[in-house]
Amino acid sequence: MNKLLLRLAITATAGSLLSLHPMVAQVSPTTPKTARVRITQGPEVELSKSFLTIIRWTTNNPGGSPEHYGVVHYGTDPKNLSQTAKNPIRLNPDHPSKIFRVRMDDLKPGTTYYYTVGSMGADGADDGTKSTVKEFTTPGGPEGANR
């Protein structure tokens, strides 16, 4: 009987602890939006292979929602940047700047591409920054090359 009462007491205690302290998902804080987002470094090619290229740039921290996207508009005609690549990132409210990296896939070997970069919040709202048009050429061979 004593063992049964002890088990019941332990079960009741454990159940009350769990109900008093439910697990809560960690929520990232939303920070005030920056008045003006500026590109402070880049954009530049971080890696280029015959079939993919990664573009990197740095901005001041745009603030707002912690979920953001780096966005690259690109194409083979500098006046028609009709393709888009974007990668998700999470903002750290304690960091004054943010490094964006965006990967563009399915590129053609030995081809010159033109691009601009920017960023947007998870809600699709543009952060209000856009680089000038830049260019890169993918390596011609299948082995690719770092740049």
Side-chain angles (χ1 to χ4, degrees):
M1 183 77 163
N2 285 340
K3 286 184 180 181
L4 178 60
L5 289 174
L6 181 60
R7 284 185 187 164
L8 287 173
I10 291 172
T11 302
T13 302
S16 68
L17 286 175
L18 290 175
S19 65
L20 289 175
H21 304 288
M23 293 180 65
V24 177
Q26 183 178 2
V27 178
S28 296
T30 297
T31 57
K33 295 257 321 156
T34 301
R36 182 169 178 257
V37 180
R38 296 175 324 280
I39 296 173
T40 58
Q41 186 176 354
E44 60 193 2
V45 173
E46 181 174 80
L47 172 76
S48 188
K49 302 281 186 180
S50 58
F51 56 91
L52 73 86
T53 295
I54 298 173
I55 303 294
R56 178 185 65 222
W57 70 98
T58 304
T59 71
N60 56 317
N61 192 327
S65 167
E67 295 89 18
H68 265 66
Y69 290 90
V71 181
V72 176
H73 296 284
Y74 65 101
T76 56
D77 177 351
K79 294 182 179 9
N80 184 22
L81 306 179
S82 59
Q83 295 174 277
T84 302
K86 65 181 184 176
N87 282 29
I89 57 111
R90 291 196 61 83
L91 299 179
N92 183 331
D94 296 328
H95 292 173
S97 63
K98 178 62 194 158
I99 297 172
F100 291 89
R101 288 182 174 89
V102 175
R103 177 178 168 151
M104 297 173 288
D105 289 302
D106 301 322
L107 302 178
K108 295 177 185 166
T111 303
T112 298
Y113 288 90
Y114 301 88
Y115 68 95
T116 62
V117 303
S119 60
M120 66 181 193
D123 61 358
D126 189 297
D127 284 332
T129 187
K130 183 178 172 184
S131 71
T132 59
V133 176
K134 303 284 188 172
E135 73 176 78
F136 66 91
T137 302
T138 54
E143 72 284 346
N146 288 333
R147 288 190 176 183

